[in-house]
């Protein structure tokens, strides 16, 4: 009996080995560095596990690791940088934003489809076992999986949101799930719920009446034989979400949605000697300040920079600031600037007392992982929502960047540095983040292999994806019941009248 079980185990191990050394194609077309960093980290995890990965993106590595091939979309990042406005100055209305965005997304897909390196890949005879694409509301990109006849995995740098929910049939009630671009808590007030619901409908219409048709036309311009977008955009096997209960609000998820938040966090490495000395010798502790890899501190408005400098000068802590220039005029003695800093390794140092950040999701997760409280200065996109959640969870304070005032900044910094409850809450969140059966990086690898082994994951698909919108919203059922009710009411009324009339006419006859 035992021998039989042993044989079974051996057989199943043998059976399940066919995902080894899979050929993985990763498409990370968004021309922002933080998107590339998370995408390349994801692909490197798979390369390290022995898979043969190819990554398509506007950025490249100085020294690509083993099993890691690049298709460089040269020029895209540079073009985008030229065209993009200074993010410190942008303040788009949440209703206008998605419409403008719809056109930006279209031109993003166009620049990829029209790129020589991409065309060459699409014409090549290469075979892939699975295609991974970064979700950024670029549905036409999903055609790559069709072209290579491979199962599709999407990767979303956010939690499940409007880009993901529609295509996976995930429940997404605006009653308690705020839009990614609104800094609302899950427990919304009536007016927040009203605004959130209106934006939800607005975004649904923009996505289905603008973004999808624009990209469908573009797809057929480049690939005339391609099927209509609607025939394959709902065919994603699984979505890897950069989400984790330590930083995101709980929400329902269909089985094809997989949390792998925190996969980018590595074990800390030793710091360069100069930084190690600074951190070791900071007897009053260290405040670490960085606005991430997309935003440049050098671009921030001067009045805000003055406020920051003045406030830092008043602190007894050492401030380490990621500042992308040689000189910072008026720099106080306790402030140290570097063009680039090993963020994860700095946050791991015991003398770091506070992280001043733009509230991007990767930075927020690193802070939580290392149990460091946050002062967030969100600038754009989902940063304000991340910051709001961090504040609700008791390990952060935030001020939207354009609303920074000296009074508020000084008082928040002092509160965060002097009140121990922020550190305690950060530690609690850290424990939540690290309490898992497997590391997020191992989860990434498991689920990619899972999709390769099963050649897709149709068994995880919910039937909602086969329903028309009016069936999903039960409008046909409600209409049917309404009509039935009306018919019954009229029938009752009619028969009542009939009986009543007969009775009165009988009475008349008697009289
Ligand atoms: C596509 O690229 C070619 C050069 O490779 C350029 O001449 C053309 O204008 C581009 N088309 C679009 C629509 O960007
Ligand atoms: C959907 O994906 C599965 C798994 O890759 C594939 O077998 C199937 O042909 C796809 N269907 C369509 C319509 O693209």
């Amino acid at each position: 009996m035992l021998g039989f079980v042993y044989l079974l185990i051996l057989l199943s191990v043998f059976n399940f080995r066919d995902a080894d050394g899979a050929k993985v194609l990763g498409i990370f077309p968004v021309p922002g560095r933080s998107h590339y960093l998370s995408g390349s980290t994801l692909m490197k995890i798979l390369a390290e596990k022995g898979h043969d990965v190819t990554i398509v993106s506007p950025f490249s590595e100085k020294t690509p690791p083993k099993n890691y091939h690049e298709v460089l979309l040269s020029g895209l990042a540079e073009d985008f940088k030229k065209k993009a406005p200074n993010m410190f100055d942008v303040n788009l209305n949440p209703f206008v934003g998605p419409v403008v965005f719809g056109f930006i997304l279209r031109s993003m897909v166009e620049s990829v489809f029209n790129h020589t390196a991409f065309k060459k890949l699409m014409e090549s005879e290469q075979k892939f076992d699975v295609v991974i694409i970064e979700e950024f509301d670029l549905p036409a990109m999903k055609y790559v999986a069709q072209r290579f006849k491979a199962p599709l995995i999407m990767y979303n740098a956010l939690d499940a949101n409007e880009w993901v929910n529609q295509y996976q049939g995930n429940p997404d009630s605006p009653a308690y799930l705020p839009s990614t671009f609104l800094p609302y808590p899950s427990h919304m007030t009536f007016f927040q719920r009203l605004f959130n619901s209106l934006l939800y409908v607005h975004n649904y219409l923009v996505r289905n009446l603008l973004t999808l048709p624009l990209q469908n036309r573009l797809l057929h311009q480049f690939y005339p034989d391609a099927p209509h977008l609607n025939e394959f955009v709902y065919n994603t096997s699984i979505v890897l979400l950069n989400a984790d209960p330590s930083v995101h609000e709980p929400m329902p998820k269909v089985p094809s949605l997989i949390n792998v938040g925190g996969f980018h966090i590595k074990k800390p490495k030793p710091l360069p000697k100069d930084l190690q000395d600074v951190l070791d010798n900071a007897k009053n502790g260290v405040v670490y300040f960085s606005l991430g890899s997309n935003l440049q501190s050098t671009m921030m408005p001067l009045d805000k920079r003055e406020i920051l400098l003045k406030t830092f000068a008043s602190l007894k802590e050492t401030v380490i600031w990621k500042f992308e220039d040689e000189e910072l005029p008026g720099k106080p003695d306790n402030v140290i600037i570097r063009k680039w800093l090993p963020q994860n390794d700095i946050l791991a140092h015991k003398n770091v007392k506070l992280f001043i950040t733009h509230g991007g999701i990767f930075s927020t997760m690193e802070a939580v992982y290392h149990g460091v409280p946050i002062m967030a200065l969100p600038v754009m996109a989902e940063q304000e929502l991340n910051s709001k959640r961090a504040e609700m969870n008791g390990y952060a304070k935030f001020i939207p960047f354009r609303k920074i005032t000296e009074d508020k900044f000084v008082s928040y910094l002092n509160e965060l540095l002097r009140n121990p409850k922020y550190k305690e809450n950060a530690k609690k969140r850290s424990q939540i983040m690290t309490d898992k059966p497997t590391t997020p990086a191992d989860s990434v690898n498991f689920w990619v292999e899972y999709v390769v082994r099963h050649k897709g994951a149709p068994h995880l698909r919910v039937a909602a994806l086969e329903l028309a919108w009016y069936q999903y919203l039960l409008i046909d059922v409600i209409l049917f019941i309404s009509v039935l009710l009306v018919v019954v009411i009229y029938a009752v009324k009619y028969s009542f009248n009939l009986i009543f009339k007969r009775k009165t006419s009988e009475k008349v006859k008697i009289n």
Side-chain angles (χ1 to χ4, degrees):
M1 184 64 200
L2 259 182
F4 181 62
V5 171
Y6 184 60
L7 190 70
L8 266 186
I9 291 173
L10 257 189
L11 272 179
S12 60
V13 168
F14 186 73
N15 252 333
F16 275 118
R17 292 196 65 86
D18 59 1
D20 270 5
K23 287 206 68 170
V24 185
L25 175 62
I27 314 275
F28 296 88
V30 184
R33 187 162 269 284
S34 70
H35 288 268
Y36 168 70
L37 287 176
S38 72
S40 59
T41 303
L42 197 95
M43 298 305 280
K44 281 178 200 165
I45 290 171
L46 298 171
E48 258 164 45
K49 298 280 183 186
H51 302 298
D52 188 72
V53 311
T54 301
I55 179 169
V56 181
S57 106
F59 301 89
S60 66
E61 294 294 307
K62 277 199 202 85
T63 47
K66 215 174 97 196
N67 307 335
Y68 184 96
H69 318 283
E70 293 177 332
V71 173
L72 177 61
L73 302 173
S74 55
L76 257 54
E78 295 75 5
D79 280 357
F80 182 74
K81 222 173 176 177
K82 259 185 258 155
K83 277 189 249 163
N86 183 349
M87 287 304 173
F88 287 108
D89 301 331
V90 179
N91 192 4
L92 264 184
N93 172 300
F95 284 91
V96 180
V99 179
V100 177
F101 208 56
F103 289 98
I104 294 178
L105 293 171
R106 182 202 167 278
S107 73
M108 217 184 256
V109 177
E110 183 175 38
S111 57
V112 175
F113 279 0
N114 197 35
H115 199 285
T116 338
F118 184 80
K119 283 181 176 163
K120 212 172 125 196
L121 172 76
M122 292 295 273
E123 284 157 15
S124 78
E125 294 298 313
Q126 291 201 62
K127 298 239 181 307
F128 295 101
D129 298 308
V130 61
V131 174
I132 305 177
I133 302 181
E134 175 167 12
E135 179 61 85
F136 203 68
D137 210 5
L138 304 168
M141 293 304 311
K142 292 181 175 176
Y143 177 65
V144 179
Q146 293 277 308
R147 157 66 190 83
F148 290 105
K149 296 193 174 61
L152 174 62
I153 295 177
M154 296 303 285
Y155 157 70
N156 197 22
L158 306 166
D159 199 352
N161 65 338
E162 54 210 63
W163 302 341
V164 169
N165 294 329
Q166 176 178 340
Y167 298 121
Q168 300 306 116
N170 197 44
D172 58 349
S173 166
Y176 67 102
L177 299 170
S179 157
T180 318
F181 303 112
L182 291 178
Y184 289 168
S186 295
H187 301 273
M188 289 178 265
T189 63
F190 171 76
F191 283 104
Q192 286 176 332
R193 258 187 308 128
L194 175 67
F195 195 72
N196 191 51
S197 306
L198 291 176
L199 189 63
Y200 173 89
V201 174
H202 175 77
N203 285 351
Y204 181 86
L205 294 177
V206 171
R207 194 166 55 250
N208 289 283
L209 301 179
L210 181 78
T211 307
L212 270 172
L214 275 180
Q215 295 198 23
N216 185 54
R217 211 171 315 144
L218 189 69
L219 174 72
H220 290 101
Q221 210 173 299
F222 283 91
Y223 303 99
D225 299 333
H228 192 281
L229 265 191
N230 282 345
E231 283 178 37
F232 61 85
V233 284
Y234 293 92
N235 198 25
T236 302
S237 298
I238 58 168
V239 182
L240 301 174
L241 297 167
N242 183 38
D244 191 79
S246 61
V247 295
H248 291 104
E249 293 279 300
M251 64 177 285
K253 282 174 187 171
V254 293
S256 63
L257 298 180
I258 318 282
N259 281 355
V260 293
F263 70 87
H264 73 291
I265 302 172
K266 299 191 184 74
K267 282 221 175 72
K269 294 185 295 294
L271 287 160
K273 173 87 172 70
D274 59 333
L275 280 176
Q276 184 76 42
D277 289 347
V278 170
L279 280 148
D280 286 348
N281 300 333
K283 57 181 187 306
N284 294 317
V286 168
V287 173
Y288 169 62
F289 178 27
S290 167
L291 294 177
S293 50
N294 287 346
L295 293 163
Q296 306 260 307
S297 281
T298 42
M299 309 267 280
M300 77 170 66
L302 279 181
D303 58 325
K304 301 296 187 221
R305 189 203 274 187
E306 288 304 314
I307 294 175
L308 298 179
L309 283 172
K310 218 162 137 194
T311 310
F312 293 160
S314 73
L315 294 177
K316 61 181 196 296
E317 285 82 7
T318 304
V319 178
I320 302 181
W321 182 347
K322 179 182 158 277
F323 189 82
E324 303 83 7
D325 217 339
E326 307 291 339
E327 294 285 325
L328 172 55
K331 182 179 81 64
D333 288 341
N334 64 329
V335 175
I336 287 162
I337 56 168
R338 290 281 190 286
K339 284 188 187 167
W340 180 84
L341 288 160
Q343 175 158 305
N344 187 48
D345 308 333
I346 291 180
L347 289 173
H349 196 283
K350 64 179 192 325
N351 284 350
V352 175
K353 288 161 84 174
L354 183 66
F355 179 15
I356 306 178
T357 166
H358 61 317
I361 192 62
F362 297 107
S363 292
T364 304
M365 283 180 165
E366 284 174 24
V368 166
Y369 182 84
H370 295 295
V372 177
I374 285 176
M375 171 75 233
L377 306 173
V379 178
M380 58 176 180
E382 91 297 356
Q383 294 162 3
E384 197 165 336
L385 180 62
N386 296 336
S387 310
K388 177 83 192 169
R389 285 173 169 158
E391 189 179 78
M392 287 190 306
N393 290 329
Y395 60 91
K397 287 263 179 205
F398 85 95
I399 319 172
F401 193 89
R402 61 181 67 80
K403 294 187 185 151
I404 298 177
T405 61
E406 190 175 340
D407 285 353
K408 217 169 180 185
F409 191 50
V410 170
S411 87
Y412 281 7
L413 275 193
N414 281 305
E415 167 77 3
L416 286 159
L417 287 165
R418 317 294 162 224
N419 187 337
K421 84 166 191 215
Y422 295 97
K423 177 74 191 169
E424 283 155 23
N425 287 332
K427 274 193 184 146
K428 270 187 214 157
R429 287 281 141 184
S430 171
Q431 285 158 3
I432 296 171
M433 182 180 268
T434 48
D435 197 357
K436 299 202 166 83
T438 52
T439 65
D442 282 344
S443 280
V444 166
N445 186 57
F446 172 82
W447 283 103
V448 171
E449 291 186 357
Y450 180 91
V451 169
V452 172
R453 280 196 295 267
H454 298 281
K455 302 194 167 40
H459 51 281
L460 298 183
R461 249 174 105 78
V462 292
L465 288 171
E466 265 70 53
L467 297 179
W469 64 271
Y470 58 86
Q471 294 174 314
Y472 181 77
L473 295 175
L474 291 174
I475 289 176
D476 51 350
V477 172
I478 293 168
L479 268 178
F480 178 79
I481 293 176
S482 309
V483 169
L484 206 66
L485 268 179
V486 170
V487 168
V488 168
I489 288 170
Y490 269 91
V492 168
K493 214 175 143 194
Y494 183 75
S495 17
F496 206 75
N497 278 352
L498 219 62
I499 297 165
F500 191 68
K501 251 193 215 150
R502 197 175 297 153
K503 280 217 171 123
T504 36
S505 56
E506 275 168 13
K507 265 189 203 156
V508 172
K509 257 186 226 161
I510 292 168
N511 285 342

